[in-house]
Amino acid sequence: MTETILNTIYKCTKCGKEFGYADLRKKKFICDGCGYHFRISSTERISMVVDKGSFEEWESELETENYLEDDTYDETLRKAKEKTGLKEAVTIGKAKVLGSEIALGVCDSNFIMASMGHVVGEKITFLIERATTDNLPVFIFCCSGGARMQEGMISLMQMEKTSAALKKHSDAGLFYCSILTDPTTGGVTASFASLGDVIMAESGATIGFAGKRVIKQTIGEDLPEGFQTAEFLQEHGMIDGIVQRKRIRQMIQFLTLANKRRKGYTNFTNETKTRFLPFLADYIHGSFIPSKSAWEKVRDNRGQNRPATVDYIKEIFDVFVELKGDRLYREDGAIVGGIAMLDGQPVTVISDYRGKNIQEHLARNFGMPMPEGYRKALRLMKQAEKFNRPIISFVNTQGAYPGVGAEERGQGWAISQNLFELSSLKVPILVIITGEGGSGGALATAVGDEVWMLENATYSILSPEGYAAILWKDSSRAYEAAERMKMTSSDLRDIGVIDKIIPEFGGANKDSIDDISRYMKQEIIKFLKRMSKLELNEMLNSRYKRFRKF
């Protein structure tokens, strides 16, 4: 470490607070006044992320040539090398993070803004190809000002070269995560930065394709607040989430373990020995608690006291990491999805979620998904297929959101694509209806090898109010409609729509959620053991026949 760096005073560009190098480094180069993330060198990044002494650099001797014989390029390169001590804008190699081995690439904006020329593209491609050969996951910390203008079309070709290498890596069933840092723009955004199985970003990072100045000059309008920030992209469904620097090592370790293809679905490392109250066996068979009418069950499912799907997720799984966005339009909070661990076995979890207070209800459309919600769910379920993770889908929705925007963005098409793909997805799918299962909006995440319902849940072609309004032109007859619709768990088990009823131990609420969750966890583990005994074709044929019989 040079004396110049040690004595440098760093000033936050957002709030103006000043730091010495040693102090700022302890804070992981984050301003404790306003949360601004300073840009950091590739050397600092590697030191911050990998296990000490584990980084093995690859292709360190590659140097850039002046293909176009640009008059100023050689001098630009010389100054960048002198400034950074690097030969190019990306450093690649193999490393361990909390013991997990990965292939790692780190871009450095201090070197000609990490613009992508031939050597940057070559090193990224080599990293991916070597990872494919060595069966390693790839993590790349991306940043870039775009294409290396001094290299002309050779620079542009790096976009396809890196993308093609990632396709081969993906086809080999291997995991890739891109972490977008400030700034990630231009050709890097439009190639390897946006192709991660999981895409994370640092808070406040500028991320986009065209520059803000170009966009503003083109459309002649002021841009919205926070435009092209990590937070903006998360809201618009383009990234899975924003990761804290202090949590990045844990995130890499989790994603490495969770996205490693395993044989079978029972890779448990700590099977839970579930204990129940003595009355459990009697209660499962019937008459411990007086039964409720169908309408009473509908009303209870809509109440605030009934546990939300996310409450069960918290109780059942060891850890859950939410992944956001459909990569096309927007993040839809009505569906929560991500990766979880069940006693060490990775699973993908999909869940409807309506929220717990009026602000959450409004933000999440009262649990009624938009097309982007269904696209997000399908994206995560296809990801589960790639990494051979079973899928657990918790359903609790009145139905798909009925609105102009939803229709404009293809609500029916989005639901149909889920039904189409889930019918032949090559991993086990378990569906658990915890509250309301309303119409095609529920079915879009309810195509499974087995479908279970909580004791007082309901599953129907539409709401009782809608049924009564359509058939009798009188929504006030909803009580009568609920009885006629045969929408309760016992009704639907009798006709084979569902396979199992989950007891609620007196009714699902804060007092019974522990018992319900323990029972569900035990049964989910049994389900995975059953599925592990089946050949793939046997599982898919059984799923097809399950719905073909109706």
Side-chain angles (χ1 to χ4, degrees), residues 64-275:
T64 300
E65 296 180 19
N66 190 352
Y67 294 102
L68 300 184
E69 298 181 351
D70 184 284
D71 293 340
T72 62
Y73 193 25
D74 287 334
E75 180 62 14
T76 299
L77 288 168
R78 187 193 65 77
K79 288 180 178 179
K81 292 175 184 179
E82 185 178 283
K83 174 184 177 182
T84 63
L86 304 172
K87 292 184 178 179
E88 251 299 350
V90 65
T91 302
I92 63 169
K94 180 170 66 174
K96 289 185 178 180
V97 178
L98 296 175
S100 294
E101 194 168 61
I102 66 170
L104 177 66
V106 181
C107 300
D108 193 325
S109 62
N110 294 305
F111 195 106
I112 318 179
M113 280 305 296
S115 54
M116 182 161 64
H118 167 71
V119 170
V120 170
E122 186 64 24
K123 292 180 77 170
I124 292 291
T125 302
F126 180 90
L127 172 77
I128 298 161
E129 290 175 341
R130 177 75 179 270
T132 305
T133 300
D134 292 352
N135 202 38
L136 291 174
V138 173
F139 289 81
I140 301 178
F141 286 85
C142 304
C143 66
S144 180
R148 186 75 60 84
M149 297 300 167
Q150 297 92 331
E151 295 187 26
M153 281 300 296
I154 296 297
S155 173
L156 199 66
M157 293 300 101
Q158 307 313 307
M159 294 171 63
E160 168 53 19
K161 184 167 78 177
T162 54
S163 300
L166 281 169
K167 183 63 168 68
K168 286 182 174 291
H169 185 264
S170 179
D171 288 346
L174 297 169
F175 177 72
Y176 166 49
C177 176
S178 54
I179 303 105
L180 313 185
T181 69
D182 187 51
T184 302
T185 60
V188 167
T189 297
S191 57
F192 66 85
S194 295
L195 293 174
D197 294 297
V198 171
I199 303 175
M200 306 301 285
E202 288 195 328
S203 178
T206 294
I207 304 164
F209 179 57
K212 293 181 182 179
R213 184 169 52 194
V214 173
I215 296 171
K216 189 171 182 178
Q217 289 174 350
T218 301
I219 66 175
E221 297 176 4
D222 291 332
L223 301 177
E225 184 72 24
F227 182 69
Q228 288 190 329
T229 61
E231 289 74 11
F232 181 88
L233 264 69
Q234 178 174 273
E235 179 185 347
H236 288 81
M238 302 303 170
I239 62 174
D240 287 283
I242 295 171
V243 62
Q244 300 177 50
R245 279 185 184 166
K246 66 180 180 180
R247 301 293 185 202
I248 193 70
R249 281 167 52 81
Q250 290 83 357
M251 185 203 74
I252 289 174
Q253 182 195 40
F254 174 80
L255 291 176
T256 300
L257 295 174
N259 291 290
K260 184 177 182 179
R261 285 184 65 88
R262 293 167 167 82
K263 291 184 179 180
Y265 313 106
T266 56
N267 299 282
F268 305 117
T269 56
N270 180 31
E271 282 195 289
T272 302
K273 304 299 182 184
T274 311
R275 294 185 294 274

Side-chain angles (χ1 to χ4, degrees), residues 276-283:
F276 295 97
L277 297 174
F279 66 75
L280 173 62
D282 292 333
Y283 179 66

Side-chain angles (χ1 to χ4, degrees), residues 405-449:
E407 294 300 320
E408 288 175 338
R409 297 193 295 279
Q411 187 72 289
W413 185 89
I415 293 171
S416 74
Q417 290 304 297
N418 281 29
L419 303 182
F420 180 80
E421 294 288 349
L422 294 184
S423 66
S424 61
L425 213 62
K426 297 179 179 64
V427 291
I429 306 172
L430 173 62
V431 177
I432 305 174
I433 300 166
T434 64
E436 282 187 280
S439 194
L443 187 62
T445 57
V447 176
D449 299 290

